[in-house]
Amino acid sequence: MAVTIAVLRETSPNERRVALTPEVAKKLKGRGASILVEQGAGTSAGFGDVQYRDAEIVSGAGATLERSDVLLKVQPPSLEEIRNLREGSIVVGYLQPHLDPERTRLLRERKITAFAMELLPRTTRAQAMDVLSSQAAVAGYKAVLIAAEASPKFFPMLTTAAGTIRPSKVLVVGAGVAGLQAIATARRLGAQVEGFDVRPETKEQIESLGAKFLDLGVSAAGSGGYARELTAEEREQQQRALAEHLKGIDVVVTTAAVPGRKAPRIITGAMVSGMKLGAVIVDIAAETGGNVEGTEAGKTVVTDNGVSLIGPVNLAASAPIHASEMYSRNLYNFLELSLKDGAITLDWDDELIAKTCLTHAGEIRHEPTRQLVESAQ
C-alpha cells in the first residue's frame, strides 16, 4: 500500500512558507506516494490549491492528519497536531527540540518517528537536504535589503552633477551561508563590503565574493564547520580591535549562530555607543539572543547615539515562494533516502537517517535532547 505524505497549513505567527510545493508533490507521486494537502496550505507561500494537481486537497488539519503516514512541516507541529497523528507515523521538519521538552516528550509517548532537519549532519552528501543552509541564504539576502532600506545613505558610489557620493561601508559578521549571501547581496548593491569571521578558512570565501576579509588577529577554527569558543584573552583582543573598526562602518549585518544554542554575543553596547550617528545594525540572530547587545527580536531600537538596532524574525518566511521551493526540495532529497516503490523503509545504518532522528519507537534518539527532557521532568 502506498505511503501517504501530508502537509498542513502552517499556523505559527508570520509563517508564510509551506513544506511541500506542487513541484515536489508531483515528484513524490512519481515515486509511488499518495499526497494529501490541507486546503489553503500553500496559499500564503504563493501556491494555490489548484496548483496541487498531483495531490488530494483535504478540508481541515484533523482530517489530513488522521490519514497521513508522513507529515511534512516547516515549524514544529503543535501538541494538538501530534495528538492527532497516528501512532507510529513520521514527522519531518524543523522541530527545535532544545526549545520545548514537552513536544519531544509527546512525540516519544505517541511513538512518532520524528526527524529534526536541523540535526542533519553537515556533510557533502547532505548538502542537498540542508534546510539550515537553504533558509539561511534567504535570511542573508533579506537582511541586507532591510539594512539598505533603513540606512540614511546610498549603498553604491554615485557620480552626480552635485558631486560624487561615496559608497556605504558594510561589515558582515559571520561567514556561514547567511553571511556569504549577505556579502554577495551588499556587493551587488554597490557597497564597500568587509566580512569578518573567526574561522580563518573563510577568508578565501569572503574574498571570492569581492569583499575584504577583516582580520582582527584572532583565529578560532573549530570542528564540524563551526567556530570553537574563544578564550577570555582572545575575546578581549577581538573586541578591542572590532570596537575601533566599527567607528567607521555605516551598516553591520550580524549572522553568527550555532543551531540549538544561544547566539554568541559579538558586539557589545560599548561598541555600539562608539559607532557613528545614523549607522544601522541588522542582527539576524535576534531570535536566539542576538549577536548585538541591545537587540530585541521583532523590533527596531534606536540607541542614544542614533544607531538603529534591527532584530528581524523569521526572515526566510519573508520570501516564501523561493524559500518554500528550496525547503521542499531539501525534504524531498531527505525522503528519497527511504522512499522506494511507494513505501518508506528506514535504513538505520545510514548516518543521515540515524543522526537526524529525534524520536523513534517510544525512544528519544538524540542524546542531548533526551537529557534535556529528563531534566525537565
Side-chain angles (χ1 to χ4, degrees):
M1 186 174 177
V3 66
T4 299
I5 299 174
V7 65
L8 300 180
R9 182 174 58 84
E10 298 288 334
T11 57
S12 298
N14 302 316
E15 183 53 74
R16 298 170 59 195
R17 291 171 291 177
V18 65
L20 182 67
T21 61
E23 170 205 16
V24 173
K26 181 177 181 178
K27 288 183 177 181
L28 289 171
K29 185 178 181 181
R31 297 293 298 270
S34 296
I35 311 298
L36 300 180
V37 174
E38 183 188 0
Q39 188 175 31
T43 302
S44 61
F47 305 105
D49 290 344
V50 68
Q51 293 173 262
Y52 287 93
R53 298 179 183 88
D54 299 283
E56 177 185 347
I57 304 300
V58 182
S59 178
T64 307
L65 290 170
E66 67 184 17
R67 294 173 54 194
S68 67
D69 300 311
V70 179
L71 174 65
L72 304 183
K73 288 283 294 178
V74 177
Q75 295 292 337
S78 67
L79 297 182
E80 182 181 2
E81 287 169 349
I82 295 171
R83 291 188 187 101
N84 284 329
L85 279 168
R86 293 209 305 260
E87 189 172 288
S89 58
I90 297 172
V91 175
V92 184
Y94 274 126
L95 298 183
Q96 301 175 16
H98 60 291
L99 294 181
D100 192 345
E102 185 181 359
R103 180 166 54 234
T104 305
R105 191 180 303 114
L106 186 57
L107 288 167
R108 178 189 63 188
E109 291 173 358
R110 297 281 299 148
K111 295 183 172 58
I112 304 298
T113 298
F115 291 101
M117 293 303 294
E118 61 265 58
L119 301 181
L120 183 80
R122 307 198 87 179
T123 63
T124 300
R125 179 167 163 254
Q127 285 180 347
M129 314 165 199
D130 190 349
V131 298
L132 292 177
S133 292
S134 72
Q135 304 307 288
V138 183
Y141 169 78
K142 294 293 285 191
V144 171
L145 299 186
I146 290 170
E149 174 69 21
S151 176
K153 292 186 172 184
F154 288 123
F155 265 37
M157 181 177 74
L158 298 177
T159 302
T160 75
T164 299
I165 303 295
R166 296 181 62 81
S168 291
K169 293 183 178 181
V170 175
L171 172 64
V172 177
V173 177
V177 174
L180 293 173
Q181 185 62 249
I183 288 169
T185 304
R187 284 283 298 150
R188 292 187 195 104
L189 292 177
Q192 182 179 319
V193 186
E194 294 176 309
F196 166 69
D197 198 295
V198 291
R199 298 168 298 157
E201 64 268 24
T202 61
K203 181 176 187 292
E204 184 178 346
Q205 295 171 306
I206 289 169
E207 291 177 344
S208 72
L209 294 172
K212 179 182 177 182
F213 178 75
L214 176 61
D215 188 352
L216 298 179
V218 177
S219 173
S223 60
Y226 296 107
R228 65 170 173 82
E229 190 171 353
L230 298 177
T231 65
E233 292 78 13
E234 288 172 331
R235 189 177 295 107
E236 184 180 351
Q237 178 185 345
Q238 172 192 288
Q239 290 188 337
R240 275 200 311 270
L242 183 57
E244 186 61 32
H245 192 76
L246 285 172
K247 293 177 181 178
I249 297 296
D250 299 305
V251 168
V252 179
V253 177
T254 64
T255 69
V258 179
R261 292 171 53 186
K262 187 175 181 180
R265 180 59 50 81
I266 297 173
I267 297 177
T268 66
M271 293 181 191
V272 175
S273 296
M275 294 180 69
K276 63 175 71 172
L277 178 69
V280 172
I281 300 176
V282 178
D283 188 349
I284 290 181
E287 288 177 281
T288 54
N291 297 142
V292 184
E293 185 177 357
T295 297
E296 295 184 33
K299 296 182 180 179
T300 296
V301 177
V302 180
T303 66
D304 292 341
N305 61 316
V307 177
S308 295
L309 304 179
I310 303 173
V313 296
N314 200 6
L315 276 174
S318 65
I321 293 178
H322 283 155
S324 297
E325 287 177 348
M326 292 190 291
Y327 185 84
S328 187
R329 289 168 191 163
N330 291 149
L331 297 193
Y332 174 78
N333 291 328
F334 181 75
L335 287 173
E336 206 175 20
L337 298 174
S338 308
L339 183 59
K340 297 175 179 65
D341 299 323
I344 293 286
T345 304
L346 298 172
D347 178 5
W348 296 108
D349 291 328
D350 187 329
E351 70 162 356
L352 299 186
I353 291 174
K355 292 186 177 180
T356 307
C357 184
L358 177 63
T359 61
H360 174 68
E363 297 179 354
I364 299 174
R365 293 289 187 95
H366 183 242
E367 184 59 24
T369 301
R370 187 186 67 78
Q371 294 175 11
L372 177 67
V373 170
E374 289 181 355
S375 66
Q377 288 178 335

